[in-house]
């Protein structure tokens, strides 16, 4: 068992350091580890079989549909309308454009389900506006980077769908609803920090909007925002499943972009579908390879061995949860969210189950933890995109990001040790127990 764990994670680490794409590194390390238990032909066959059977899931259909809906929104002019609405909401606060950036990321990220898409779409619009108003480009980029993952907590979120699959059927509806309060608290916490810094530096407050402008901008944003109500309302009231909701999201966003706003034409649709197919292929390949790795870990009892080791550290649940959070924060600095979720959920799930932690609570905690990871160097995807659209370097943005990291860490501790933050809403709306 110890040799299997060493071979599995050692091979994965070496391949990752050599620059092998993460999905291939996961699959190859799983195949190599199986050689400890059986022959070459059997090892290759089992890994391939696990990858194929693991992807044969109705639930996973939600991922390509939500990715497609997000891409349609990104190309359909919806980001601009949400940014205009965010300006109205945050217009009279100190550093109003920074607050607008956070609010727009919360709204667009929740609809698109992608931190990278939010950072690119919102940051690309906000960076020139903030520079024109005298904002420090590094500060503007830091606000955009730190707030872009809020949409991974505020549903609909493909991250929660993947987590549900890994854990063997944790309620997607409960996960979706559980993400609202932490996601909103995340956005509000970032706004507080941004407001304090903006006031200290004397960044301008936006001019007061007229009632006519407010009504026009609000009316323009109602239809995109109503998608969340349609998707979540249907899931909560049992009208359709999360997978069916994702298909409805595609039809609805296509109607908005093609018919209502007319920002794209039929000729643009094939390119959007192709872009979504490429993204889906990358995500599903990682999921399939990670399922093969999970099979190796289960075959060698690796999760339970690591669970025993963690539980042997201390009898205090606080110490164990702190250790898990620190491990995930470290993992998040060099691994993207999806593979980290796929690899480490099976490892830590037995530990938190022994502690009596609810799987929905753990899913929210783990997602929030890994959200911090995609904002941190050296491989944070949101960090790279945010610096790119903000025309600034990673080195210059790290220092402005530090106070935002601090508030995110405080929120992580609250979510970890106050279960009601995650569970109160599912219990109230869904009767979750």
């Amino acid at each position: 068992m110890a040799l299997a764990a060493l071979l599995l994670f050692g091979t994965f680490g070496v391949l990752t350091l050599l620059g092998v794409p993460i999905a291939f590194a996961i699959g190859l390390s799983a195949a190599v580890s199986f050689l400890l238990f059986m022959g070459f032909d059997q090892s290759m066959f089992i890994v391939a079989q696990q990858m194929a059977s693991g992807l044969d899931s109705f639930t996973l259909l939600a991922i390509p549909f939500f990715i497609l809906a997000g891409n349609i929104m990104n190309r359909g002019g919806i980001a601009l309308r949400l940014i205009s609405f965010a300006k109205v909401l945050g217009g009279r606060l100190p550093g109003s454009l920074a607050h607008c950036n956070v609010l727009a990321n919360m709204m667009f990220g929740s609809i698109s389900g992608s931190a990278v898409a939010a950072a690119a779409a919102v940051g690309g619009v906000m960076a020139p506006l903030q520079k024109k108003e005298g904002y420090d480009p590094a500060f503007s980029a830091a606000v955009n980077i730190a707030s872009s993952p809020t949409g991974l907590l505020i549903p609909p979120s493909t991250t929660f769908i993947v987590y549900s699959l890994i854990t063997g059927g944790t309620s997607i509806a409960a996960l979706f609803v559980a993400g609202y309060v932490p996601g909103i608290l995340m956005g509000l916490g970032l706004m507080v920090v941004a407001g304090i810094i903006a006031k200290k530096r004397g960044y301008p407050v936006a001019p007061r909007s007229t009632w006519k402008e407010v009504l026009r901008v609000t009316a323009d944003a109602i239809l995109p925002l109503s998608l969340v109500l349609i998707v979540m309302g249907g899931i909560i009231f049992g009208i359709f499943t999360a997978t069916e909701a994702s298909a409805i999201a595609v039809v609805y966003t296509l109607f908005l972009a093609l018919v209502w706003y007319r920002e794209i034409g039929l000729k643009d649709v094939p390119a959007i579908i192709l872009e979504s197919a490429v993204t889906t292929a990358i995500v599903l390949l990682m999921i399939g390879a990670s399922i093969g790795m999970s099979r190796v870990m289960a075959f060698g009892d690796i999760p339970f061995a690591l669970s025993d080791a963690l539980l042997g550290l201390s009898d205090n649940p606080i110490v164990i949860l702190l250790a898990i959070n620190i491990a995930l924060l470290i993992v998040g600095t060099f691994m993207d969210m999806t593979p980290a979720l796929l690899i480490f959920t099976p490892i830590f799930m037995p530990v938190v189950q022994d502690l009596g932690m609810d799987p929905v609570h753990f899913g929210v905690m783990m997602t929030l933890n890994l959200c911090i990871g995609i904002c941190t160097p050296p491989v944070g995807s949101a960090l790279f995109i945010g610096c790119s659209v903000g025309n600034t370097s990673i080195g210059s943005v790290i220092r402005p990001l530090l106070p935002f990291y601090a508030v995110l860490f405080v929120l992580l501790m609250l979510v970890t040790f106050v279960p009601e933050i995650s569970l109160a809403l599912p219990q109230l709306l869904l009767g979750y127990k």
Side-chain angles (χ1 to χ4, degrees), residues 131-192:
K131 187 176 182 180
K132 186 178 178 181
E133 292 288 337
Y135 287 69
D136 175 21
F139 169 74
S140 301
V143 172
N144 185 44
I145 291 163
S147 60
S148 60
T150 50
L152 300 178
L153 284 167
I154 303 173
S157 169
T158 55
T159 304
F160 286 142
I161 295 170
V162 173
Y163 175 82
S164 172
L165 177 75
I166 301 167
T167 56
T170 302
S171 169
I172 295 177
L175 286 165
F176 276 6
V177 175
Y180 271 114
V181 174
I184 292 170
L185 287 177
M186 181 177 174
L188 292 176
L190 296 173
M191 288 175 68
V192 169

